[in-house]
Amino acid sequence: MDAVLALIAKRKDIGRLLPGLAVALAIAVIVTVLRRAPALAMASPLMLAILVGIVVGNFYRLPAQFQPGLGFSSRRVLRFAIALLGFQLSASQIAVIGLDGVAIVAGAVVITFFGMGWMGTLLGVDERLSGLLAAGTSICGASAVAAMSTVNRASEEDVSYAMGAVTVLGTVLMFLLPAVAHWLGLDARAFGLWAGASIHEVAQVTGAAFQFSNAAGEAGVVVKLLRVLMLAPLILFCGLWARRRMSVGGEGVAAPGFPVFVLGFIAAVALNSLVSIPPDARANLMLATTFLMSVALAALGLQTDIGKLRAKGMLPLALGALGTVLIVGITLGLIVAAGWFA
């Protein structure tokens, strides 16, 4: 919803957004056409979109005028698509996650965030960069990195490195976890929780979980949104902690913005729980949501710069990888302990 409102409120900026938005849309259309080929019929359009985006973005660096549209696509279009996903869920489906699911997500976030801080100290990684990587890994990828940078005063280079690292590592999980889940014999509910509680970006969770099954995708999105909701208290805590440690005179720390798209998602779920939506309308909503997700993932891929991972050496990347392994292992262990998978 905020994507539509933003366009209405800032009509004069539409021209500035068109170049990047057009490229992301073109990739989404190409992916939609490619999936008609028998060899690609079973492939996830979301995975194809981010792969094509990464290939194009790293073999041909788009000029600066494309960046506003790409940023709009990977943030606002994504949030609007996530809000639309709410129409695929109802209160009865959310109840399936249960209190044990909430406890698993909360435990994984806390352990991963503070565990990565400890590992960063051991590896000698700069504390600010460690904080960015920990936020991106434990909460919601690049958006958490950006939010954390507002309270720990990280440099632009650190922010770029952390965003590149969590995007690439999350993309690896998006491809890897479904295969591992099939090998382990996880059911849809267990894998949805595992993907939602461990994969970094919202879009990456949808790409992995919906490829596994629709049921896994629905559970994964709900669980991932629980993690997104934890961004505000985490950033608030870190901001207060930074205020105590840093002598900043009278300068205040800006409060993190609330993820408004979550409200749209909740409203869509509530409407779907109260009103019976015709099957044809529901199917059309799902097609539109998938296409918008493909646009967002294509833009995310186009902004993924593999070269940025080499800018500050391998130790921060190693920290990101260790944190990724940590959250994947913790969530799987907690799933087993909770009896979701034996």
Side-chain angles (χ1 to χ4, degrees), residues 18-285:
L18 279 178
L21 183 58
V23 174
L25 282 168
I27 291 177
V29 171
I30 291 171
V31 165
T32 302
V33 174
L34 284 176
R35 288 192 70 243
R36 296 180 181 178
L40 296 174
M42 299 302 294
S44 166
L46 307 182
M47 289 191 175
L48 290 176
I50 196 169
L51 273 179
V52 173
I54 289 174
V55 170
V56 172
N58 282 273
F59 276 90
Y60 175 71
R61 186 61 54 192
L62 294 174
Q65 60 262 35
F66 286 81
Q67 297 309 311
L70 293 179
F72 176 87
S73 300
S74 61
R75 291 190 295 271
R76 294 186 180 273
V77 173
L78 171 62
R79 293 166 186 167
F80 182 58
I82 290 294
L84 288 181
L85 272 177
F87 286 107
Q88 309 303 317
L89 304 175
S90 64
S92 60
Q93 292 169 309
I94 296 175
V96 173
I97 301 299
L99 292 177
D100 52 350
V102 175
I104 288 171
V105 172
V109 167
V110 172
I111 293 171
T112 301
F113 183 80
F114 290 102
M116 287 186 68
W118 176 73
M119 289 189 292
T121 301
L122 292 181
L123 291 174
V125 177
D126 178 77
E127 182 179 4
R128 294 176 180 178
L129 180 53
S130 293
L132 297 180
L133 290 166
T137 302
S138 62
I139 302 288
C140 53
S143 58
V145 171
M148 180 60 71
S149 69
T150 66
V151 297
N152 77 351
R153 299 177 174 272
S155 67
E156 292 181 359
E157 293 79 13
D158 286 345
V159 174
S160 297
Y161 188 105
M163 285 189 174
V166 298
T167 299
V168 170
L169 291 168
T171 301
V172 170
L173 288 185
M174 186 174 70
F175 288 101
L176 182 63
L177 257 59
V180 175
H182 282 297
W183 179 69
L184 291 174
L186 290 178
D187 61 19
R189 180 171 179 258
F191 178 69
L193 174 58
W194 192 28
S198 60
I199 300 178
H200 304 339
E201 296 278 354
V202 177
Q204 293 163 349
V205 171
T206 61
F210 274 101
Q211 181 186 349
F212 192 88
S213 72
N214 285 338
E218 291 166 358
V221 169
V222 173
V223 172
K224 181 60 182 177
L225 288 175
L226 289 175
R227 283 172 71 192
V228 173
L229 286 171
M230 294 181 186
L231 177 61
L234 176 68
I235 300 303
L236 179 60
F237 168 81
C238 291
L240 294 174
W241 181 255
R243 275 181 168 179
R244 293 189 61 182
R245 296 188 57 191
M246 299 165 58
S247 300
V248 192
E251 185 177 352
V253 179
F258 184 80
V260 178
F261 71 94
V262 175
L263 297 179
F265 175 87
I266 294 172
V269 173
L271 182 62
N272 191 39
S273 301
L274 298 172
V275 178
S276 178
I277 299 177
D280 289 345
R282 190 189 304 275
N284 289 333
L285 275 172

Side-chain angles (χ1 to χ4, degrees), residues 123-125 129 133 161 165 168-169 306-322:
L123 291 174
V125 177
L129 180 53
L133 290 166
Y161 188 105
V168 170
L169 291 168
I306 304 299
K308 287 180 180 178
L309 299 180
R310 297 191 293 265
K312 288 182 172 286
M314 297 301 294
L315 282 179
L317 178 59
L319 174 60
L322 287 172

